[in-house]
Amino acid sequence: MPRQNEFPLLMELGAPGRRAYLLPQLDVPARPIDELIPSPYLRSEPAPLPELSELEVVRHYTGLSRRNHGVDVGFYPLGSCTMKYNPKVNEDLAFLPGFASLHPYQPEETVQGALQLMYELEQYLCEIAGLQRATLTPAAGAHGELTGLMLIKAYQEDRGEGHRDEIIIPDSAHGTNPASAAMCGYKVVEVKSNDRGGVCVDALREVVGPQTAGLMLTNPNTLGLFEEDILTISELVHDAGGLLYYDGANANAIMGKCRPGDMGFDVVHFNLHKTFSTPHGGGGPGSGPIVVRESLIPFLPVPVVERREEAAQAGASLEEIPSQFFLDFDRPKSIGKVKGFYGNFLVLVRAYAYIRSMGPEGLRLASEDAVLSANYLMRGLSPFFDLPYDRTCKHEFVISARQQKAEGVTAQDIAKRLLDYGVHAPTVYFPLIVEEALMIEPTETESKAALDAFLEVMFRIAEEAKESPQGLTTAPHHTVVGRLDETQAARHPVVRWQQGTEEGTPNDHR
Ligand SMILES: *Cc1c(COP(=O)(O)O)cnc(C)c1O
């Protein structure tokens, strides 16, 4: 198959005078443009924009969409990212005008449905986490982490323990964990993993103490392994006066099965855009709600959605609360605002739709299927790839391309070759503690046939690594672009077309 890069840019299409629209006849007197817009703001020359027919516009954007891989196109086993299929009914609901056309400055009594949705979503997340209250405002997982750590800080300061300046984080942690802790002003103390891929409890004993503000943990961790010593770990940290932070970005193995609150965690963030089925990727809007234990409620960011009856029970006067649901800004110990308004509201609508349509049984089944799929792939791959931790995995697992490296083929080459077969690459070189790591997360939404097709492709690639490694080291061969200079693409992205330059052409970063 040839590369499909002979693709004209929008700017190169069309012809002067071509149009994709028809405007109605003018029914008011025409006025010259410089009477309407002051001349300093007018261009001397018309902007060099393409003039196109509707069909050209449609073909352009359809063509662009086909250059991209998405879960609606094919298998997307990007570990730690939970690229599950997002049911389209969630989109329908998020597009209802009563949600999509709301304005954040509308009076409370006109947005009761939206507030009720937020109130109920908070309750569902509390139930799933096994904790008491939540804030829906953080815009992403990392933002949730920062918010959660700010809550821990506020809590420690409030009880006169503000000198605690260390957060303990295992060496298998997601990179955002130490970054968030550092951003919150904490010293990051790393704790080693043991040979079963869990936290080494002896190593933890050595670093936990009166300087510990808390511990951040993902369970199952980024290796997809359940932390077997979690109760000992939480006791150790609590006894030393620290709190436990749960990175629940990928809750796909635990929904309805076990609860972070029961494991001893005090603060949890969820990624609605992963576990709770909201489209993500490309930096689109996300949502990283924080769920907390009783002791942290006073510090939650403002506003908190409250219900009239409960507020009245807590001593508020009913006359002051005209509506059933209201936004409470009057929280003296709150850490304040962490985002404009109330979070990415339409992401909340999608997560609400997902949770309501799945129900408790559906969520539990999703976790079970996600874990089953991951174990099925892990076992299927183990004859031809190294398995660094040979344990039952949860929603994801990590294999190593160590054997293939001996043939001169790296995890990166395998990831690139998968693109030729229409499969998105797994997460590679993460977690850092596994050499040539490939982190695979199939999710519950793939059929057995899709999993088998992936095994077949991986088997072929393992054969290619032995027989024709050079084909792998130059892959991908069939995609629109080949190997990108990823560093340049990230540091100096060219996202704007400029007339008369090569900038913005699709092959820039090859
Ligand atoms: C994705 C992820 C995060 C960060 O979430 P963002 O929404 O990308 O900020 C944190 N921890 C883990 C384990 C993750 O997988």
Side-chain angles (χ1 to χ4, degrees):
M1 228 203 319
R3 253 189 234 295
Q4 313 148 11
N5 56 359
E6 298 311 315
F7 181 77
L9 286 170
L10 186 68
M11 300 302 176
E12 299 157 5
L13 294 173
R18 220 171 262 176
R19 289 287 177 274
Y21 59 85
L22 283 174
L23 293 181
Q25 282 291 320
L26 205 59
D27 58 0
V28 291
R31 285 168 64 192
I33 188 81
D34 50 4
E35 265 181 32
L36 299 167
I37 300 174
S39 57
Y41 301 121
L42 284 175
R43 292 176 207 273
S44 50
E45 296 288 324
L49 296 174
E51 298 177 62
L52 302 141
S53 70
E54 180 172 321
L55 178 57
E56 284 171 312
V57 175
V58 168
R59 285 199 178 142
H60 171 76
Y61 285 107
T62 306
L64 281 185
S65 76
R66 287 166 59 173
R67 296 166 146 218
N68 213 350
H69 189 92
V71 72
D72 292 351
V73 174
F75 190 41
Y76 207 141
L78 187 66
S80 200
C81 291
T82 315
M83 304 304 289
K84 61 169 78 175
Y85 171 70
N86 309 298
K88 299 296 173 246
V89 66
N90 301 351
E91 298 302 310
D92 287 347
L93 294 179
F95 276 89
L96 288 176
F99 291 132
S101 307
L102 287 182
H103 193 283
Y105 282 137
Q106 265 176 254
E108 255 162 37
E109 60 273 19
T110 67
V111 293
Q112 286 293 299
L115 294 181
Q116 181 173 357
L117 182 142
M118 290 165 77
Y119 184 86
E120 289 178 7
L121 178 61
E122 176 183 338
Q123 291 193 319
Y124 303 152
L125 296 177
C126 288
E127 173 79 28
I128 293 167
L131 291 169
Q132 282 74 43
R133 285 233 56 176
T135 174
L136 305 174
T137 41
H143 191 192
E145 290 171 26
L146 179 64
T147 306
L149 289 162
M150 287 165 73
L151 296 178
I152 292 180
K153 196 167 220 177
Y155 164 86
Q156 296 288 20
E157 277 167 7
D158 188 61
R159 61 184 200 115
E161 294 283 315
H163 58 274
R164 291 174 179 263
D165 60 353
E166 290 184 2
I167 293 284
I168 303 171
I169 303 178
D171 58 3
S172 62
H174 194 270
T176 51
N177 292 187
S180 301
M183 190 172 259
C184 196
Y186 282 116
K187 283 185 211 142
V188 175
V189 179
E190 190 177 89
V191 59
K192 293 261 166 284
S193 299
N194 60 27
D195 56 8
R196 289 182 55 75
V199 169
C200 175
V201 174
D202 288 337
L204 178 62
R205 264 200 195 93
E206 274 168 33
V207 294
V208 74
Q211 72 292 355
T212 303
L215 167 93
M216 286 182 99
L217 203 65
T218 311
N219 189 23
N221 64 20
T222 59
L223 296 160
L225 301 174
F226 195 85
E227 194 60 67
E228 294 165 315
D229 298 319
I230 185 58
L231 295 179
T232 314
I233 292 169
S234 82
E235 206 178 298
L236 266 176
V237 175
H238 281 151
D239 285 353
L243 292 185
L244 274 93
Y245 181 98
Y246 184 91
D247 177 341
N250 320 98
N252 230 33
I254 63 150
M255 283 184 297
K257 301 298 288 186
C258 62
R259 309 192 303 174
D262 301 335
M263 300 176 204
F265 288 93
D266 305 288
V267 195
V268 172
H269 88 259
F270 288 124
N271 276 17
L272 300 186
H273 51 288
K274 289 179 180 169
T275 313
F276 298 98
S277 176
T278 299
H280 62 294
S287 178
I290 288 289
V291 197
V292 300
R293 203 178 282 290
E294 201 78 42
S295 51
L296 291 168
I297 295 175
F299 311 103
L300 283 173
V302 284
V304 171
V305 183
E306 296 282 12
R307 229 173 115 152
R308 195 167 187 250
E309 287 80 8
E310 274 129 55
Q313 273 166 21
S317 104
L318 278 179
E319 292 81 67
E320 285 168 22
I321 311 168
S323 309
Q324 170 78 343
F325 295 95
F326 64 100
L327 293 162
D328 184 9
F329 287 89
D330 182 18
R331 304 177 63 84
K333 288 191 175 179
S334 165
I335 60 167
K337 265 182 165 260
V338 296
K339 188 180 184 310
F341 302 115
Y342 323 112
N344 283 327
F345 176 66
L346 294 181
V347 179
L348 307 181
V349 175
R350 290 174 174 93
Y352 181 88
Y354 177 71
I355 293 174
R356 288 299 299 261
S357 55
M358 296 292 277
E361 280 308 315
L363 291 181
R364 187 171 306 134
L365 194 62
S367 296
E368 288 172 3
D369 285 349
V371 171
L372 182 63
S373 299
N375 280 281
Y376 182 71
L377 286 189
M378 183 178 76
R379 284 292 148 228
L381 291 173
S382 62
F384 32 97
F385 292 93
D386 267 12
L387 188 58
Y389 300 97
D390 192 355
R391 283 173 54 184
T392 302
C393 68
K394 296 297 168 212
H395 61 293
E396 67 189 6
F397 60 96
V398 176
I399 55 170
S400 163
R402 273 193 290 245
Q403 289 175 44
Q404 286 71 23
K405 183 106 185 265
E407 325 273 351
V409 170
T410 62
Q412 160 110 329
D413 298 332
I414 295 169
K416 296 290 183 197
R417 183 66 176 143
L418 275 169
L419 305 175
D420 279 336
Y421 288 105
V423 172
H424 194 280
T427 299
V428 288
Y429 299 105
F430 178 75
L432 303 174
I433 53 176
V434 173
E435 189 194 342
E436 294 300 319
L438 289 152
M439 184 202 258
I440 296 170
E441 180 182 9
T443 84
E444 74 282 9
T445 56
E446 296 295 335
S447 65
K448 179 169 178 294
L451 301 180
D452 286 334
F454 175 69
L455 287 178
E456 175 63 31
V457 167
M458 286 295 276
F459 174 69
R460 267 205 252 170
I461 292 176
E463 292 292 297
E464 288 174 1
K466 281 188 225 145
E467 282 153 24
S468 50
Q470 66 289 354
L472 287 187
T473 54
T474 51
H477 304 287
H478 304 324
T479 50
V480 178
V481 291
R483 286 214 185 187
L484 302 167
D485 181 338
E486 285 166 13
T487 313
Q488 283 297 314
R491 298 253 163 89
H492 306 287
V494 180
V495 293
R496 190 166 72 96
W497 177 82
Q498 284 170 308
Q499 197 180 25
T501 68
E502 288 293 300
E503 306 266 282
T505 61
N507 300 333
D508 262 353
H509 295 300
R510 287 174 80 177

